[in-house]
Amino acid sequence: MKIISIVGSPHGKKGNTALLLDEVLKGAQHMGAKNETIFLKGGSVLPCLGCDKCHIKGFCPQKDEFETIKLKILEADGLILASPNYIFSVSAQLKAFMDRCCGIIHCMAFEGKYGASIVTSGGGDEKPIVDYMNHFLITTGMHPVGSVWATMGDLPENLFTE
Ligand SMILES: Cc1cc2nc3c(=O)[nH]c(=O)nc-3n(C[C@H](O)[C@H](O)[C@H](O)COP(=O)(O)O)c2cc1C
């Protein structure tokens, strides 16, 4: 099984969200899954222009990494979405990716794949956000298998480094 993970934190590999994702991926690797993680930083996936070309032509005309990421997901068996809680929602980076999936949602092009959602926060409120992310996954045709979240302010500092 091949899993693509998308991290919507500007902190990238060094962020809390990537730390929690690492723990999830350790479990997946233990079960034999191969994985690739994509960090949405520096405008790699730009906001949707609302031009409707994805519905008309089947692809987005914007010159960024979205179409490459889309192909990777189409070739994979599962997708993990990971985001920090930014004002009770996903980060703008991840929301841009989700908006760009408008054409995918229209055709449910990720049908039959597995999905999962991960959120970290400073002070809580993660559950509505993972529910929202899993709802998004369902609209793309995926089957969400679960979600993981952590209030990082509540954790012992060395939880991930022991
Ligand atoms: C712009 C911004 C908005 C945030 N909003 C919230 C929030 O509404 N609730 C909360 O508990 N934490 C909030 N946080 C804290 C982050 O969710 C938290 O530190 C998270 O673990 C960061 O993950 P990262 O290191 O992967 O980016 C916010 C942080 C930033 C920078």
Side-chain angles (χ1 to χ4, degrees):
M1 173 170 283
K2 175 89 191 274
I3 298 171
I4 301 292
S5 302
I6 298 183
V7 181
S9 165
H11 293 150
K13 286 179 191 173
K14 295 185 177 161
N16 292 335
T17 312
L19 273 176
L20 187 56
L21 172 66
D22 279 349
E23 295 303 307
V24 172
L25 290 178
K26 275 182 202 167
Q29 276 162 2
H30 185 69
M31 300 300 289
K34 292 187 176 23
N35 69 80
E36 178 178 347
T37 301
I38 296 162
F39 295 94
L40 298 178
K41 288 171 68 183
S44 50
V45 174
L46 298 165
C48 174
L49 296 173
C51 66
D52 228 21
K53 294 259 164 48
C54 58
H55 294 132
I56 298 160
K57 299 198 167 183
F59 62 89
C60 180
Q62 293 203 69
K63 303 275 181 258
D64 62 9
E65 291 172 26
F66 175 74
E67 285 297 323
T68 307
I69 295 171
K70 184 176 99 181
L71 285 179
K72 283 177 193 257
I73 297 167
L74 285 169
E75 285 166 9
D77 305 290
L79 173 66
I80 299 175
L81 296 179
S83 178
N85 171 354
Y86 273 11
I87 319 298
F88 321 118
S89 190
V90 294
S91 67
Q93 289 84 345
L94 189 65
K95 184 60 166 58
F97 171 80
M98 292 161 85
D99 289 349
R100 293 282 293 280
C101 286
C102 218
I104 297 284
I105 290 169
H106 194 70
C107 311
M108 294 187 91
F110 294 160
E111 190 175 7
K113 299 181 190 296
Y114 298 102
S117 300
I118 295 174
V119 168
T120 68
S121 78
D125 296 319
E126 305 90 355
K127 178 74 166 57
I129 306 173
V130 290
D131 287 347
Y132 167 64
M133 292 157 81
N134 280 345
H135 182 64
F136 162 82
L137 292 171
I138 289 169
T139 62
T140 67
M142 290 196 185
H143 304 291
V145 294
S147 46
V148 180
W149 63 86
T151 307
M152 303 307 277
D154 289 350
L155 299 177
E157 244 174 55
N158 59 354
L159 182 75
F160 294 112
T161 53
E162 281 175 344

